[in-house]
Amino acid sequence: MYIKKILLAIVGLGLVAAVFFANFVYKAMLKPNTAFNNESAYIFVPTQATYQDVRAQLEPLLIDIETFDDLAKQKKYISNIKAGRFEIKKGMNNNDIINSIRSRNLPIRVSFNNQESLEKLAGRVSEQIEADSLSLLTAMTDATFLKNNGFSSATALGMYVPNSYEFFWNTSAEGFRDRMLKEYKAFWNDSRLKKAKAIGLSQDQVIALASIVHEESKQAAELPRIAGVYMNRIKVGMPLQADPTLKYAAYQLPEYKDTVIKRVLNVHKEIESPYNTYLHTGLPPGLIAMPDITAIDAVLNYEKHGYYYFVADAKRLGFHKFAKTLAQHNRNAAEYWRYLSSQGIRK
């Protein structure tokens, strides 16, 4: 009888322990533990983050952080943190959350366009991935990398073809740069390389001219015609006389810092710079801004015509008037200058 009571007691304790264990398992592993109302929430785990760093992001998203702590210890997550961007779906339990943040690093879309310099590009990209702007700029301007891949400080920006790309959030600065080199090589496929060779320009020259064309007009339909004007000038040895290059040259000087040039004047044409296409024939040594793909393809497929001049159209702002002779161009230009003066735009 005594032994029977002991056995019953043991069984009873076992049942109690089983109930407590089942309750623990349910609360720690199986009970939904999200506190947000959206369908998903995301955490961004930096490289070399500690468990406390992760916990700080998770705490406002969870109902019970302590049960998460218990399971994280049991599953050894606290000593095996993974960097990246991770999704937590509404209604997930602790086990689901740990599985997600341990092995499901989600990519993001990194987009950039119209960046005027490597500095601004680095700043734009740093807003989207973990790497900061200084580390990105350092990687982008690394002299050994540029030399080994046929770029210079003047042409380096041309390696970054504006578009949207898929990256992991925790991509390093060097990882971003190296991936963009691969994208650049993919962009310059056989078709584009053959077209560049056919028009007698290198890849760097195509991009340099495309940057000028891009700055001249935002009307996609005009870009091949504008490119054709510049190609006509290159063929006969005329200076490009591209106003955007004068602005670029001016903005490199201290006196033009934090200014906006709305009207190109004769004083700008006298600035000594390899980018001054009024003083120097041929293309400048590099691009003056980041051209979009439309402008690059406009150069490769430039319109063949007899125009050598163009100027902004005062009656159709955003568009241009084209001319085959200097006399016609001067009349068109005078009309536009009168328009600028009427608007009080004098510099």
Side-chain angles (χ1 to χ4, degrees):
M1 190 68 177
Y2 180 72
I3 296 175
K4 185 177 181 181
K5 288 182 178 181
I6 292 175
L7 291 174
L8 288 172
I10 292 173
V11 170
L13 290 173
L15 289 173
V16 170
V19 169
F20 274 107
F21 180 73
N23 185 57
F24 169 78
V25 169
Y26 174 70
K27 292 177 68 176
M29 295 186 66
L30 304 178
K31 184 180 180 179
N33 194 26
T34 55
F36 51 87
N37 293 320
N38 294 334
E39 288 303 313
S40 295
Y42 296 88
I43 64 169
F44 294 81
V45 181
T47 302
Q48 298 182 335
T50 66
Y51 178 68
Q52 291 304 315
D53 296 326
V54 178
R55 191 182 192 275
Q57 290 194 56
L58 285 174
E59 189 165 8
L61 303 177
L62 303 186
I63 298 170
D64 187 346
I65 190 67
E66 283 77 17
T67 60
F68 182 86
D69 290 335
D70 292 338
L71 191 61
K73 291 175 185 176
Q74 280 202 359
K75 299 192 74 169
K76 297 186 166 88
Y77 173 74
I78 61 173
S79 58
N80 191 26
I81 307 299
K82 301 295 184 182
R85 170 180 177 262
F86 302 99
E87 180 185 28
I88 301 171
K89 295 181 180 179
K90 182 179 179 180
M92 273 186 168
N93 57 47
N94 290 331
N95 193 56
D96 293 333
I97 295 169
I98 291 173
N99 289 340
S100 179
I101 65 178
R102 184 160 60 185
S103 60
R104 299 171 191 162
N105 188 5
L106 298 178
I108 59 172
R109 299 296 294 180
V110 174
S111 302
F112 57 86
N113 63 358
N114 297 330
Q115 307 304 308
E116 298 173 356
S117 64
L118 287 175
E119 289 81 2
K120 291 185 177 180
L121 175 61
R124 173 77 179 110
V125 174
S126 71
E127 296 171 352
Q128 302 174 75
I129 65 174
E130 180 184 9
D132 60 48
S133 59
L134 180 58
S135 63
L136 283 163
L137 183 60
T138 300
M140 291 173 179
T141 56
D142 180 76
T144 301
F145 172 84
L146 294 178
K147 182 179 179 181
N148 289 344
N149 292 286
F151 295 100
S152 67
S153 58
T155 63
L157 181 62
M159 192 188 88
Y160 300 88
V161 180
N163 212 329
S164 291
Y165 302 92
E166 197 171 81
F167 280 91
F168 288 115
W169 174 78
N170 56 311
T171 299
S172 68
E174 292 78 11
F176 173 79
R177 177 202 63 194
D178 294 347
R179 163 72 183 283
M180 293 313 303
L181 175 61
K182 292 181 181 178
E183 295 292 344
Y184 172 84
K185 291 178 178 178
F187 175 80
W188 282 100
N189 54 31
D190 288 343
S191 175
R192 288 192 173 98
L193 289 173
K194 288 177 181 177
K195 288 178 180 179
K197 184 177 181 180
I199 64 176
L201 299 181
S202 68
Q203 293 164 243
D204 288 338
Q205 289 175 323
V206 169
I207 293 176
L209 181 52
S211 72
I212 298 172
V213 172
H214 178 78
E215 290 297 294
E216 290 282 17
S217 178
K218 298 302 182 279
Q219 301 294 334
E222 276 196 344
L223 300 185
R225 179 165 292 188
I226 292 174
V229 170
Y230 286 128
M231 288 301 298
N232 286 345
R233 289 185 163 227
I234 289 171
K235 289 174 184 177
V236 299
M238 288 177 63
L240 297 185
Q241 296 184 334
D243 288 355
T245 66
L246 296 186
K247 292 181 180 181
Y248 179 85
Y251 290 146
Q252 312 309 305
L253 302 177
E255 57 264 39
Y256 289 97
K257 185 179 180 180
D258 300 324
T259 64
V260 177
I261 299 172
K262 295 182 178 179
R263 184 170 182 170
V264 171
L265 306 173
N266 286 332
V267 65
H268 300 131
K269 298 176 183 178
E270 297 171 359
I271 295 173
E272 181 49 59
S273 166
Y275 289 88
N276 184 336
T277 57
Y278 278 77
L279 291 180
H280 305 283
T281 58
L283 287 161
L287 61 169
I288 61 172
M290 178 183 286
D292 60 25
I293 294 174
T294 303
I296 297 173
D297 284 338
V299 171
L300 293 173
N301 301 281
Y302 72 88
E303 183 179 317
K304 295 173 176 60
H305 52 58
Y307 298 121
Y308 286 84
Y309 309 91
F310 67 96
V311 68
D313 190 339
K315 295 179 180 177
R316 296 177 69 221
L317 296 180
F319 292 86
H320 294 80
K321 285 187 173 182
F322 296 81
K324 295 180 179 181
T325 66
L326 180 59
Q328 179 61 55
H329 172 67
N330 287 340
R331 289 192 291 271
N332 293 339
E335 181 182 17
Y336 183 63
W337 293 336
R338 286 193 297 271
Y339 164 77
L340 291 179
S341 297
S342 71
Q343 299 298 308
I345 300 173
R346 303 189 181 280
K347 62 180 182 177

